[in-house]
Every structure is written in C-alpha cells, then in structure tokens.
Amino acid sequence: MTKNTTTSLDAATPIVIVGHVDHGKSTLIGRLLHDTDNLQDGKVAQIIESSKKRGLKIEWSFLLDSLQIERDQGVTVDSTRIPFNLKGREYVIVDAPGHRQFLRNMITGAADAEAAVLVVDASEGAREQTRRHAMLLHLIGIRHIIVLLNKVDLLDFDQAKIEAVQADVTDLLTRLDLKAALFVPASARDGDNIAARSENMPWYTGPTLTEALVAVPTPASRAELALRLPVQDVYRFGDKRYVAGRIERGRVRVGDTVVIGTQKTPARIASIEGWHTAPQVSAYAGQSVAVTLEPDVIPDRGDLLHHRETAPVEASRVRTRLFWLRQEPLRVGESFRLRLATAEHAVTVTAIESVVNLEDLTENPGEEVPPEGFAQIILSASENIQFDPFTPGTTDGRGVLVDRQQRIVGGAPLMGPAEIAPGEKVIHPSASHVSVQDRERIKGHQGAVFWLTGLSGAGKTTLARAAENRLFAAGVDVTVLDGDTLRAGLCSDLGFSEADRTENVRRAAEVARILRDAGQVVLVTLISPLKSDRELAARIIGENFAEIFVDAGLDVCEQRDPKGLYAAARAGKISSFTGIDAPYEAPHSPALRVETGAQAVDAAAGELVTFVEATVRTGAGQRKRG
C-alpha cells in the first residue's frame, strides 16, 4: 500500500502548513501522506506501534515527531520539509511551527512557499495564534491560502456551525487584505475531505484538500523580470576570476553589460560557467552560475548585478513591515544587521511608525514593538541599500534582522524608501566591519557589561578595581566606568536632581554599550538608586548585561563614609542624598549579589571575578536583569 517517493526539492512547489499548536497540523500531514500513498514502507506500522504504546488509536502526528522534544512537549519545534507527490506533480510540505515559542522558524520555513494551508480547529475558531499566523502570511506575502477547518466532527458536521466559523475566519483574513482560495471542512484524524470526500458532509460540494492542492497555481516565471544576480562569492582559479551567485530574477547573456552594486561599475559578461556543465550562452532565474567579467573588476559579496536600464531601488532609509521575534520589546535606537539575499547592512531603528494590535488588527502609534509583535518601522544605514520593494508572492525585498550573536530577531520585508520627516534628526550610525565573532576569537571572551549598584560606601569602586586587576591578569580586556570619574568629565554638567541622575545613567550606559560592542568587559559603578534608571541602562545596553547588587547596610556604609558625604548630608550640607533623604530601590533579583558588609575585599572580588569569567568565557552572559 505504501511506497517510497523521491521528489526533487528544487523543482517542487512548496506548500506551508500553519496553525495553532493544538489545531491538528501534524495529524493532517501524517494523514495526507498516508491517504495519498506517500509514506515510506514500514511507516504505518511504526505509527501504529507508537500509538499502541501510548494507549491511543492510530495517531498520525507521530509521523513527524522525529525530535524527542516534540514528543515530550507535544509541539512542533522546527520547520520540517517533506517531499510529496500528488498526481505526478511534485510538492514540498513545509510544516511550520504553531507554538508561539517557535514562530521564529516559520519566518524562514515559509519564506519560499507558493501557497499555505491554514489549519483552524472548527470547534475553537480563530484564536490568537490563528491571527498571528494569518498576519505572518500577510507579511511573508503568500497569496494563495487554503483554510482547512479541522475537527468538524466535534461540531457533528453541522453545516450552520461550520459556516459560522468560516465567516469568522473570512473576516479575519479580510482585515489583513487576504482572501482564502477556498475553505475545506475536514477531520484530519479520520480522513474526512482529505483525499476522499466525506460521507458525513453531503452538503459540501467543494474539492477535497488533495484536489485543492492540485489546483494551486504554478509559480509565475521570474525569468522575464529585471535581472538580479546577488554576488555570493568571488573565486580565483588560475588567471580567471569567477563571480558566483544564484540568479533571483531575469536573464543574463554573454556580452550583456551589467552594473555592479552601489559602486555603479559597468562590466561585460565575458562567460557564464556552470557546475558540471559546459559554458553557457545565457542563464535565467533559479540558476546558480559563475560569470567572468570584462574588465576584471572585483565585486563584493552582496553586490547586485543588474542591467543599467532596470536598476533596483537605492536608499539609506527604508520602511519595513516587521515581525519582531525577540522576547523583549524593540525600541528606537537599537542596531542590527539586515540580511537581504547575500548582502548584509548595519542598520539602526530610527522610528516606530505604527504597531499592530493583534486583538482587532488595527495599527496604532507606539513607542516600542512588543515580543512577537508586528509593526511598521524605519531602518537607517550608513550606506545605500539596493533592493526591490516587497511584492506579495515573490521573494523581492524579503529581509531579516540579526543581532550581534547572528540570531534572527525579526522578519523585515522592505516596503520602500522612507522620506525624512520635517524636523527629524538625520542620523546614520556606522557599524564596524569587524564581527562580534572575530573579536571574541581574538580576545578569548565576549564583551559584556556588569552594572554594579549599591549605596555610597558599599564598596562598588573598590570591588570593581580589585576585580579589574585580576581579570586583566587573566587576559580579559576589562574597563571600569566609575561614577565619580564620569562626573568629573563626561557628566560634569549634571547635578543630582532626579532628571540629572537619569541622564547620568543614560550616558554611562551608552558609553558602556560602545565599549561592549568593541569586545570589552565593562564594570560600571554607579549608585543608580532607582529601578527605572537601571532598567533604562539594561534597555540601552541590551545583550550581555548583568545587574550586580553590591550589598552593604546603611549603618555599615555610614560608618565607612569614605568621602564624608553621609556626615555632610546629616549636617544638612547635601540634600537629596541617597539613603538619607532620597530613596534607594534595591534590586529584587540581581544577576549576582555581593555582600560587602562583613567579608574582605579579596573574597568579594573573587566572587565577582568568578561570575564575570563564567559569563564571558562560556557565552552564558545573555541579557540578565535585576
């Protein structure tokens, strides 16, 4: 009954299957492969055996549980690509994660899909994750959407109830400027309307899911569009230099004159080489080629080769529709790398224009983008970015944002250039071409910021200087930013009002972030009495931030009084002094608490050094906050 089907992933039509974690995606895929004779020999027996061990009827979702974590947690954790053949047409099923925690993988898993199957539990309707996945389909630009209303058996196959759910999902898609190609009421577990028409729903006269998949339009040829050949790499063999890349759009012929990237250098295509093939006269979209150029110019990785008369858009400020993946909010001023085809650009978020409310899908002004939120933002770069604006159903303009650790933190399709608003500050921060990984390799450790907070006299600076000596001797590139040192120079214009204290913290955090980005370990010693100010510092610094509470009681600090400040405050010579007539908000859950009231400096410094080295040497220093 079963067979082993071999499908070419390159030639196949990708179909992404998305839906809420409990709405039956994995069951659907298992059943679909079985009912269309696409399972490998012996798979059905394995599924039956796995189901029996758990005291279940045949459970089709076990087919995809290739990772033990999926069995343990009951959720799909990564995008799985499954070859699939239907009536002679080749497909790739992309099983995209449905749980909120794993949506990151869907950005890349669904990026090249020609169509989507949105799975909705008919007994529950469109829940938050359904709205989120629909928004992702809108963001990614998938236009052919089949909605599978699953588990209709729980509604007793009732036509009125099923059509009410269909109306709700239609309304959701309409608000996102999406339209379902069709709705298929089904029961994936029992096979109703998957590959065979259901006897339980004689009122439904539309296609089964397999018939709907056969009807998915074949992708339009991109060979007739303007040429876009992103440079992947440049190789030298003998006396020839080969420019390698995959043609994303258009055609190129030997003898064509192309323009290279933002440098605008013209060159003639002298030859088109292939792998394991004879030289070609021409090549078109989808082919990976190596071309030689005359004159022998040297493009950079990421440069676009294009014809002069059909140049891409070029801008240093771009507007993007963002899906934000980090578990902390995005704020203006944060910097990332924008990956676009083979190019990478250092970009800074210079404006958040609107944020999507997932409850009603309205867009409203906002100061930050929440975790796993959607927004329209402006990115600024120090150089021009070449791109074709995002078009639904194509790969044009599809970018992603990556952080310092090369992790994808956002999907960012580029909508077009962004005009400068009246009165807006025009800022284009430049970024180092030396990567974080290169710095870590040379220094032998990560850059990180350790924010030492505590009362005056608690021993913050003494502790930091002692730790600095030990860390430096151990080969750590370490710097201490002492509060008094900053007050004597950078912050000499500030007083001690609450506003000035906040500004003092802000400036210290900005300097610390710059040093951290250069690969240094930074020990900041500031009283920073307010929790809100320390949270501000944590937001500015971002990754690899740790709050250290240098804990000594007020009686101990006042007894030490190394600068005579407590005595002056008691005598009324200093007002708003922390601990006397101004509050100190101690951290509730610092990354490290060092008690300096009773232990010697060496012991306390040893605690700090051990913590710092464990953090920066092992990569354990992801953002830690009090």
Side-chain angles (χ1 to χ4, degrees), residues 428-490:
H428 296 284
S430 64
S432 173
H433 293 293
V434 181
S435 72
V436 172
Q437 291 70 28
D438 288 340
R439 293 184 190 278
E440 290 176 359
R441 186 167 54 253
I442 293 297
K443 294 177 181 292
H445 62 78
Q446 291 183 321
V449 176
F450 300 87
W451 195 276
L452 279 63
T453 175
L455 291 169
S456 176
K460 299 181 296 299
T461 301
T462 301
L463 177 62
R465 292 299 183 189
E468 177 187 30
N469 286 338
R470 295 193 190 184
L471 291 168
F472 183 78
V476 175
D477 188 1
V478 58
T479 297
V480 174
L481 292 181
D482 170 57
D484 283 353
T485 303
L486 293 172
R487 287 275 185 181
L490 177 66

Side-chain angles (χ1 to χ4, degrees), residues 586-608:
H588 291 299
S589 54
L592 176 67
R593 176 177 175 177
V594 182
E595 295 186 8
T596 58
Q599 69 176 325
V601 172
D602 282 351
E607 275 188 64
L608 180 57

Side-chain angles (χ1 to χ4, degrees), residues 324 326 328-336 347-350 368-369 378-380 401 429 513 538-543 623:
W324 184 237
R326 198 176 65 189
E328 294 168 351
L330 170 70
R331 297 176 176 86
V332 171
E334 295 196 62
S335 296
F336 306 96
V347 294
T348 298
V349 179
T350 51
E368 62 181 37
V369 183
I378 303 296
L379 299 173
S380 295
L401 296 179
R513 180 176 61 82
R539 288 198 300 271
I540 291 170
I541 293 164
E543 297 173 331
R623 184 174 177 181

Side-chain angles (χ1 to χ4, degrees), residues 124-143:
E124 295 186 2
R127 297 177 60 182
E128 180 196 0
Q129 283 302 306
T130 305
R131 293 194 297 274
R132 195 176 295 273
H133 281 106
M135 176 65 80
L136 269 174
L137 296 179
H138 170 68
L139 183 77
I140 294 170
I142 297 175
R143 309 308 290 174

Side-chain angles (χ1 to χ4, degrees), residues 288-496:
S288 295
V289 297
V291 302
T292 61
L293 302 174
E294 292 180 352
D296 187 19
V297 294
I298 308 175
D300 292 324
R301 175 179 168 84
D303 275 342
L304 277 181
L305 272 57
H306 59 87
H307 293 128
R308 187 187 302 276
E309 62 275 14
T310 52
V313 172
E314 216 173 90
S316 60
R317 287 167 49 85
V318 295
R319 178 172 286 107
T320 179
R321 297 285 294 176
L322 174 76
F323 174 47
W324 184 237
L325 293 161
R326 198 176 65 189
Q327 293 304 306
E328 294 168 351
L330 170 70
R331 297 176 176 86
V332 171
E334 295 196 62
S335 296
F336 306 96
R337 305 289 296 183
L338 170 67
R339 286 184 185 165
L340 192 64
T342 59
E344 283 202 12
H345 302 276
V347 294
T348 298
V349 179
T350 51
I352 297 174
E353 295 188 317
S354 62
V355 178
V356 175
N357 181 340
L358 274 178
E359 292 299 319
D360 57 13
L361 300 179
T362 57
E363 295 191 39
N364 305 290
E367 295 184 356
E368 62 181 37
V369 183
E372 295 177 1
F374 299 86
Q376 183 162 286
I377 67 172
I378 303 296
L379 299 173
S380 295
S382 58
E383 75 280 338
N384 277 343
I385 299 170
Q386 285 191 324
F387 66 99
D388 291 286
F390 173 71
T391 303
T394 75
T395 57
D396 292 341
R398 288 182 177 175
V400 295
L401 296 179
V402 298
D403 64 13
R404 296 175 67 253
Q405 303 301 323
Q406 303 300 309
R407 295 170 300 204
I408 295 176
V409 293
L414 306 188
M415 310 308 293
E419 300 295 330
I420 298 172
E424 181 182 351
K425 294 180 180 178
V426 182
I427 301 173
H428 296 284
S430 64
S432 173
H433 293 293
V434 181
S435 72
V436 172
Q437 291 70 28
D438 288 340
R439 293 184 190 278
E440 290 176 359
R441 186 167 54 253
I442 293 297
K443 294 177 181 292
H445 62 78
Q446 291 183 321
V449 176
F450 300 87
W451 195 276
L452 279 63
T453 175
L455 291 169
S456 176
K460 299 181 296 299
T461 301
T462 301
L463 177 62
R465 292 299 183 189
E468 177 187 30
N469 286 338
R470 295 193 190 184
L471 291 168
F472 183 78
V476 175
D477 188 1
V478 58
T479 297
V480 174
L481 292 181
D482 170 57
D484 283 353
T485 303
L486 293 172
R487 287 275 185 181
L490 177 66
C491 301
S492 60
D493 59 319
L494 300 178
F496 290 90

